[in-house]
């Protein structure tokens, strides 16, 4: 199974903590369309990825947890569900400028899911899908850059900068 995952074009990877007999443990999930691997371990560190995917060079969809920097930056894609959650938080910020940018990002994030659904339902072809996603990606990057320049929004600015730098793939 590990060999099949190693040869996959893309993988979704996530980890979550749990308690096992009072001790902290971690459950790692690595999936693609056909396979799902669950690894229960005591570590949340890079050594888990090294043992499961020693030479993986496909696309990795994950959150921003630093351990995923193990993979080439060009092959990383931040999970849209995580981005959408961040954009939702920004939209509800007390900082008016952060809130405005957050609302724009939230709207663009919703469009990602709408376009994806249209593609899955064969309502649009591949070319239209890629053109729409490229347009959305460009707008998202514009607003993330804008967010990095907002005064008195350290957390939002940092997240925006991190999303841009660790994520060359947004669609």
């Amino acid at each position: 199974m590990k060999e099949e995952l190693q040869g996959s074009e893309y993988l979704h990877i996530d980890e979550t903590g749990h308690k096992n007999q009072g001790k902290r443990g971690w459950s790692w999930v690595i999936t693609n369309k056909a396979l799902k691997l669950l690894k229960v371990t005591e570590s949340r560190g890079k050594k888990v990825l090294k043992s499961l995917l020693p030479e993986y060079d496909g696309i990795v969809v994950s959150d921003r947890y630093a351990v995923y920097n193990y993979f080439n930056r060009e092959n990383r894609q931040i999970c849209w569900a995580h981005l959408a959650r961040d954009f939702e938080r920004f939209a509800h910020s007390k900082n008016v400028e952060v809130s405005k940018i957050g609302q724009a990002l939230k709207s663009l994030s919703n469009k990602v899911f709408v376009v994806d659904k249209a593609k899955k339902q064969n309502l649009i072809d591949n070319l239209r899908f890629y053109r729409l996603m490229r347009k959305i990606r460009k707008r998202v990057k514009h607003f993330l850059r804008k967010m990095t320049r907002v005064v008195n929004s350290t957390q939002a600015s940092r997240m925006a900068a991190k999303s841009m730098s660790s994520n060359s793939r947004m669609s």
Side-chain angles (χ1 to χ4, degrees):
M1 184 180 221
K2 283 176 18 179
E3 287 176 22
E4 286 185 52
L5 288 171
Q6 186 76 34
S8 182
E9 180 182 347
Y10 69 89
L11 294 172
H12 295 262
I13 306 175
D14 201 6
E15 82 297 325
T16 190
H18 64 270
K19 294 263 184 177
N20 184 4
Q21 297 178 354
K23 287 186 173 184
R24 186 80 166 146
W26 298 94
S27 297
W28 289 80
V29 177
I30 303 173
T31 69
N32 63 19
K33 266 189 174 173
L35 300 169
K36 280 117 182 89
L37 174 71
L38 173 64
K39 173 75 172 175
V40 178
T41 180
E42 294 176 1
S43 174
R44 189 181 184 210
K46 188 176 6 177
K47 66 183 179 182
V48 176
L49 294 174
K50 283 183 178 180
S51 72
L52 296 173
L53 302 165
E55 297 176 20
Y56 184 70
D57 64 356
I59 297 169
V60 173
V61 181
S62 68
D63 59 22
R64 289 182 211 86
Y65 179 42
V67 75
Y68 297 113
N69 292 335
Y70 167 71
F71 301 104
N72 291 329
R73 183 175 146 193
E74 297 78 29
N75 293 10
R76 295 266 323 276
Q77 177 175 322
I78 304 303
C79 170
W80 270 102
H82 286 85
L83 290 170
R85 191 172 49 214
D86 291 334
F87 300 163
E88 179 74 29
R89 259 196 325 271
F90 295 159
H92 295 287
S93 174
K94 291 178 182 176
N95 181 315
V96 176
E97 196 171 355
V98 170
S99 179
K100 282 183 183 180
I101 295 169
Q103 289 169 25
L105 287 166
K106 182 179 164 188
S107 174
L108 288 165
S109 179
N110 290 338
K111 286 181 183 179
V112 165
F113 293 106
V114 168
V115 170
D116 184 60
K117 185 176 181 178
K119 173 69 175 93
K120 287 178 180 169
Q121 294 176 345
N122 293 317
L123 299 174
I124 59 174
D125 63 14
N126 283 342
L127 182 60
R128 181 80 176 132
F129 172 80
Y130 289 116
R131 284 182 176 163
L132 289 169
M133 286 299 201
R134 187 172 57 227
K135 192 176 187 179
I136 293 169
R137 178 182 180 182
K138 188 176 182 178
R139 297 295 298 151
V140 167
K141 284 189 173 193
H142 163 78
F143 284 111
L144 287 174
R145 272 195 286 300
K146 205 171 175 180
M147 184 72 79
T148 64
R149 296 188 297 265
V150 175
V151 179
N152 298 326
S153 68
T154 308
Q155 186 178 6
S157 295
R158 188 176 21 234
M159 190 291 306
K162 193 172 180 183
S163 291
M164 289 188 330
S165 69
S166 69
N167 186 9
S168 62
R169 297 175 171 274
M170 293 188 116
S171 59

